């Protein structure tokens, strides 16, 4: 056998091997495309969204009532239910109370949780907060609550998605104009 015939034979065997390999690759299952998870709606209905919002506000109120203004760590559970700008405002208020040695007696409650809107992930509701049993006192035991404070305060609350048991946090908690308690 000559060098040329051996080379041709080797080239033929190599070609057959590559062809077989190509055919095997063509028979191999194609990798499945990886799917990217699509974000699903957090709530299946307005009623479900408003129920979660009310549960969120109840948990926030409970956490607020459980605070001891002389112990900054007792306030941490309140922040879990807030996001900015509500969280920033709350941190500022609690810092002032702590610095000025203000203490609180009594608890706030709420009623009339009124759904307003649920659109694009933003839930808005109105509540009447009763602070009639709450007093803020200074280190000398003197009340620092303004004498003209309204005992039942109308608030508008905005909720957005958050990492809590209800999947919501409070984004805004402001006086509701035109809403009476």
């Amino acid at each position: 056998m000559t060098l040329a015939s051996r080379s041709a034979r080797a080239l033929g065997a190599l070609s057959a091997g590559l062809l077989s390999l190509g055919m095997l690759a063509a028979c191999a299952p194609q990798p499945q495309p990886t799917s990217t998870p699509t974000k699903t709606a957090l709530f299946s209905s307005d009623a479900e969204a408003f129920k979660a919002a009310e549960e969120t506000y109840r948990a926030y109120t409970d956490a607020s009532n459980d605070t001891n203004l002389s112990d900054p760590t007792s306030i941490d559970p309140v922040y879990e239910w807030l996001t900015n700008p509500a969280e920033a405002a709350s941190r500022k208020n609690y810092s002032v109370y702590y610095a000025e040695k203000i203490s609180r007696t009594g608890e706030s409650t709420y009623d009339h949780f009124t759904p307003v809107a649920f659109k694009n992930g933003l839930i808005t509701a109105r509540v009447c907060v009763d602070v009639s049993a709450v007093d803020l006192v200074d280190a000398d035991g003197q009340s620092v609550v303004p004498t003209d404070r309204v005992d039942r305060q109308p608030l508008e609350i905005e909720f957005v998605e958050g990492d809590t048991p209800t999947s919501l946090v409070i984004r805004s908690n402001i006086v509701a104009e035109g809403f009476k308690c």
Side-chain angles (χ1 to χ4, degrees), residues 5 95 103 162:
S5 63
S95 292
S103 61

Side-chain angles (χ1 to χ4, degrees), residues 69 92-103 136 144:
L69 301 181
K92 182 178 177 183
N93 289 338
Y94 281 121
S95 292
V96 169
Y97 296 153
Y98 181 74
E100 295 184 10
K101 297 182 178 14
I102 302 293
S103 61
L136 298 173
V144 295

Side-chain angles (χ1 to χ4, degrees), residues 8-26:
R9 195 173 199 189
L11 188 55
L14 181 60
S15 295
L18 289 174
L19 181 60
S20 296
L21 185 60
M23 289 170 57
L24 284 176

Side-chain angles (χ1 to χ4, degrees), residues 60 64 67-70 72 75 78-79 82 85-104 136 144 153 173-174:
Y60 162 76
S64 295
T67 60
N68 172 350
L69 301 181
S70 64
I75 299 163
V78 174
Y79 301 141
L82 301 173
E87 182 180 353
S90 183
R91 286 184 184 277
K92 182 178 177 183
N93 289 338
Y94 281 121
S95 292
V96 169
Y97 296 153
Y98 181 74
E100 295 184 10
K101 297 182 178 14
I102 302 293
S103 61
R104 184 196 68 244
L136 298 173
V144 295
Q153 301 175 353
N173 189 356
I174 60 171

Side-chain angles (χ1 to χ4, degrees), residues 6 8 12 26 80 113 115 157-159:
R6 273 190 277 161
E80 293 174 15
F113 187 93
I157 318 296
E158 291 182 342
F159 303 86

